[in-house]
C-alpha cells in the first residue's frame, strides 16, 4: 500500500466528503492539531451547500438554501467570523400567498396580512413558548446524543433542565413529541392559512404530511434551532469552513472519490480512491450517509448480519425535488410585491393532499413549494436585473411508478411551474431557463441514499441516540477507526455543520 503522509511522516486523518459537515469536521480536527486530509468526489467542494451554475450566467448558492440552522456555537468555536462569515441584520420575510386573497407575511416574530381574530396574540404566545424551551432543546442538539445506557448524570441533568421550565411548559414539551403538527397548529391558532404556513417546515425533506405522528417534534426542533440567515447563503458557509480548514493546516482534495475503506484485521488502515491510489491512515470520518459509509465503502461482509440489517432498515425515502428557475426580472406576487422567500399551502388539508401521492409512488400535481430568490440579496448570481429561484417541491417520490424518465421529470417541472404561476402570474413571461432535479437525480449527483436530503428521515425512531442506529449513535461504528460525521448522525440533517463538528470532537476525545 502506498501512503500519503504529512511532512512529519504521520499519516493524516481522512475526512470523506467536503460538504458542510465534512468541512466542519475537518476544521475542528485541524484546529485541534490533527493532520487532516479531506477527500471530495466531485470537482467542486460544498456538496448540498455548493454554489452551482444551472444555466449560462445563472447560479444558486446551494441545494439546502436555508442557513438559519447554522449554530452560533459552531461559528464561534471554528472562528468563522474571521473568515468573513456573518449574519443578515434583518430577518427574511416569508410570503405565504393564497389563491383568492392577500398574502400572509412572516418576518421573524412579526406577522402581517389576513389573520383570524386573536391569532396575532396567539402567535406572540407561540413565539414566547419557543423562546422558553429553546435553551433546553439546543442543549440536547448541540451535544452528543444522550446514552440511555451510559452515565446517569447527563440524563439527570437533562431531566432537571426540563423540570425547571415549569409545570406548564414541561407538560407541553412532553406532549408535543408524538403529536402531528396539524393537531398542534389547530390547538394554538384559529386561522387555517396561518396554521398551514407555520406547519410547512415540519414537512420539508421528509416522508411526512401534517397529520403524520411525530411531525410536531420536527417543527419544534426547527423553530428552536433557527438563527438569522447568513450573508451569502450556503456558499458563504462553505467558503468560511474551507478557509478555516486551510488556515489550521488541513488539506482538501477534490475529484478524489473514495472507492473503499481499507481494513486490516477489521480496523481502518487506509482508503482507496477510484483511480487505484491508496492512502494510509488509521482514522476515517465519513460525512457521506451511513449506508454508503458502512455497506458500500466498508462492505457488508465486514459487518455483523445484525448491523447490516439495521443499516438497511434506515428509512431514506426522498420526497423532495429541486427546481431552479432563471428569470429575466423579479419574482412578483399578483399584487406586485417582490418575493425573496415563499411558501405555498392555504390549509392543512392542502398540505396533506400534496403528500398523499408519494405513498403510491406518484408525485403531487399541486406540490407544496418552499422557495428562495437568493439573487435578491446576492445580485452576482444572475445578470443585472435578472433573478434565480430555488424551489423545494414536496412531494415527489424517489421511486416513481414507471421510473423518472425525461418526460416524467418535465411533467414534475411543469406541475411546479403551474403551481407557482397561480401566485406569480408573470413567471412564464420571465422564465429564461429551468432545471429539475428529482430525488433520483439528487441521489446520483450528490450520493444520497434514496435521494434523501437529510441522509435519513427525521422520525422519532431515527433521532437522538437512535440516529442512525442504536449501535452507531455516538458517531463510532463497529469498525475501529471509522466514525460517522454526516447528517445521518445526531443532530440530523439540514445546513447546520453540527454532526461533523460533534463527530470530530468525539474522535478527539477518544484520542
Amino acid at each position: 500500500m502506498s501512503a500519503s503522509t504529512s511532512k512529519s511522516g504521520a499519516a493524516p486523518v481522512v475526512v470523506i466528503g467536503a460538504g458542510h459537515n465534512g468541512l466542519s469536521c475537518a476544521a475542528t480536527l485541524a484546529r485541534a492539531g490533527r493532520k487532516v486530509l479531506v477527500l471530495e468526489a466531485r470537482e467542486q467542494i460544498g456538496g448540498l451547500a455548493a454554489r452551482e451554475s444551472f444555466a449560462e450566467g445563472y447560479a444558486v448558492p446551494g441545494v439546502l438554501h436555508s442557513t438559519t440552522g447554522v449554530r452560533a456555537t459552531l461559528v464561534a468555536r471554528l472562528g468563522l467570523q474571521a473568515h468573513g462569515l456573518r449574519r443578515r441584520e434583518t430577518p427574511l420575510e416569508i410570503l405565504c400567498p393564497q389563491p383568492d386573497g392577500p398574502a400572509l407575511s412572516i418576518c421573524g416574530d412579526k406577522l402581517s396580512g389576513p389573520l383570524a381574530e386573536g391569532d396575532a396574540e396567539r402567535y406572540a404566545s407561540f413565539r414566547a413558548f419557543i423562546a422558553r424551551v429553546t435553551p433546553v432543546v439546543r442543549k440536547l442538539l448541540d451535544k452528543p446524543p444522550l446514552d440511555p445506557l451510559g452515565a446517569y448524570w447527563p440524563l439527570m441533568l437533562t431531566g432537571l433542565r426540563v423540570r425547571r421550565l415549569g409545570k406548564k411548559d414541561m407538560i407541553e414539551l412532553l406532549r408535543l413529541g408524538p403529536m402531528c403538527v396539524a393537531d398542534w397548529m389547530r390547538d394554538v391558532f384559529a386561522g387555517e392559512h396561518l396554521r398551514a404556513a407555520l406547519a410547512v417546515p415540519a414537512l420539508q425533506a421528509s416522508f411526512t404530511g401534517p397529520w403524520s405522528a411525530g411531525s410536531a417534534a420536527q417543527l419544534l426542533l426547527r423553530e428552536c434551532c433557527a438563527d438569522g440567515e447568513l450573508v451569502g447563503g450556503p456558499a458563504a458557509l462553505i467558503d468560511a469552513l474551507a478557509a478555516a480548514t486551510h488556515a489550521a493546516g488541513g488539506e482538501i482534495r477534490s475529484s478524489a472519490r473514495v472507492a473503499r475503506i481499507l481494513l486490516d484485521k477489521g480496523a481502518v488502515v487506509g482508503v482507496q480512491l477510484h483511480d487505484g491510489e491508496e492512502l494510509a491512515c488509521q482514522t476515517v470520518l465519513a460525512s457521506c450517509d451511513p449506508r454508503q459509509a458502512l455497506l458500500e465503502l466498508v462492505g457488508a461482509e465486514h459487518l455483523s448480519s445484525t448491523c447490516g440489517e439495521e443499516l438497511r432498515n434506515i428509512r431514506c425515502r426522498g420526497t423532495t425535488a429541486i427546481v431552479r428557475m432563471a428569470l429575466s426580472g423579479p419574482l412578483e406576487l399578483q399584487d406586485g410585491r417582490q418575493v425573496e422567500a415563499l411558501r405555498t399551502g392555504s390549509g392543512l388539508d392542502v398540505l396533506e393532499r400534496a403528500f398523499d401521492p408519494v405513498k403510491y409512488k406518484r408525485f403531487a400535481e399541486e406540490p407544496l413549494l418552499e422557495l428562495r430568490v437568493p439573487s435578491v440579496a446576492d445580485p452576482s448570481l444572475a445578470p443585472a436585473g435578472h433573478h434565480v429561484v430555488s424551489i423545494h417541491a414536496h412531494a415527489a417520490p424517489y421511486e416513481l411508478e414507471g421510473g423518472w424518465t425525461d418526460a416524467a421529470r418535465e411533467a414534475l417541472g411543469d406541475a411546479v411551474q403551474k403551481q407557482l404561476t397561480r401566485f406569480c402570474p408573470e413567471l412564464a413571461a420571465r422564465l429564461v431557463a429551468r432545471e429539475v432535479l428529482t430525488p433520483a437525480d439528487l441521489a446520483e449527483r450528490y450520493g444520497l441514499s434514496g435521494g434523501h436530503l437529510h441522509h435519513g428521515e427525521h422520525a422519532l425512531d431515527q433521532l437522538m441516540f437512535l440516529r442512525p442506529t442504536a449501535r452507531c449513535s455516538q458517531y463510532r461504528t463497529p469498525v475501529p477507526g471509522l466514525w460517522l460525521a454526516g447528517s445521518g448522525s445526531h443532530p440530523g440533517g439540514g445546513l447546520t455543520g453540527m454532526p461533523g463538528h460533534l463527530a470530530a470532537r468525539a474522535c478527539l476525545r477518544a484520542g
Side-chain angles (χ1 to χ4, degrees), residues 112-321:
S112 61
L115 292 171
E117 183 177 356
D119 269 355
E121 293 77 15
R122 296 184 187 99
Y123 186 68
S125 297
F126 172 77
R127 299 307 314 171
F129 168 73
I130 295 296
R132 291 193 300 272
V133 301
T134 287
V136 174
V137 174
R138 288 199 182 191
K139 284 285 186 182
L140 288 172
L141 298 182
D142 290 354
K143 292 183 176 181
L146 292 172
D147 183 356
L149 300 179
Y152 291 136
W153 176 243
L155 294 171
M156 293 173 62
L157 187 60
T158 299
L160 182 61
R161 290 193 186 105
V162 174
R163 182 66 185 89
R164 284 177 174 172
L165 288 171
K167 181 178 180 180
K168 183 178 179 181
D169 284 345
M170 179 185 71
I171 291 175
E172 181 68 358
L173 186 62
L174 297 175
R175 184 179 80 99
L176 290 176
M179 283 182 68
C180 68
V181 71
D183 280 342
W184 185 19
M185 293 297 97
R186 287 194 167 182
D187 282 354
V188 178
F189 300 105
E192 187 67 9
H193 190 205
L194 178 60
R195 293 168 175 169
L198 295 176
V200 167
L203 314 181
Q204 294 169 354
S206 293
F207 198 90
T208 300
W211 297 104
S212 300
S215 54
Q218 302 316 310
L219 180 61
L220 178 70
L221 295 179
R222 285 178 178 269
E223 291 288 348
C224 289
C225 293
D227 285 318
E229 296 277 0
L230 298 177
V231 174
L237 175 64
I238 294 302
D239 290 344
L241 288 170
T245 300
H246 287 306
E251 180 185 354
I252 303 171
R253 286 179 56 182
S254 58
S255 299
R257 181 182 296 275
V258 174
R260 280 198 306 152
I261 296 173
L262 302 174
L263 307 180
D264 184 23
K265 298 179 180 179
V268 170
V269 293
V271 297
Q272 183 182 61
L273 306 186
H274 261 268
D275 63 6
E277 181 183 4
E278 295 183 355
L279 308 173
C281 65
Q282 294 182 327
T283 304
V284 170
L285 293 99
S287 68
C288 53
D289 70 69
R291 282 185 180 180
Q292 289 191 39
L294 286 158
L295 294 178
E296 297 180 23
L297 298 183
V298 169
E301 67 273 16
H302 297 290
L303 306 172
S304 70
S305 58
T306 302
C307 179
E309 188 65 19
E310 289 175 349
L311 291 164
R312 282 185 283 269
N313 286 340
I314 296 173
R315 297 191 302 284
C316 302
R317 299 171 291 189
T319 59
T320 298

Side-chain angles (χ1 to χ4, degrees), residues 8 24 27 41 45 72 144-145 159 175 263 315 327 340 353 384 418 426 440 453 495 506:
S8 63
S24 66
I45 68 170
R175 184 179 80 99
L263 307 180
R315 297 191 302 284
L327 305 182
E340 186 176 6
R353 284 194 293 271
K418 180 180 178 181
E426 295 298 320
L453 294 174
L495 198 65

Side-chain angles (χ1 to χ4, degrees), residues 404-418:
W404 280 110
T405 62
D406 290 343
R409 185 181 295 104
E410 286 307 302
L412 172 61
D414 290 343
V416 170
Q417 185 172 326
K418 180 180 178 181

Side-chain angles (χ1 to χ4, degrees), residues 48 52 63-64 205 292 318-324 391-393 396 398 409 436-453:
L48 296 176
E52 294 180 336
V63 171
L64 297 175
Q292 289 191 39
T319 59
T320 298
I322 305 299
V323 179
R324 295 160 172 174
I391 304 170
H392 286 197
Y398 171 70
R409 185 181 295 104
V436 180
L437 298 175
T438 71
D441 296 326
L442 294 172
E444 182 177 358
R445 181 178 294 192
Y446 302 101
L448 303 173
S449 292
H452 202 290
L453 294 174

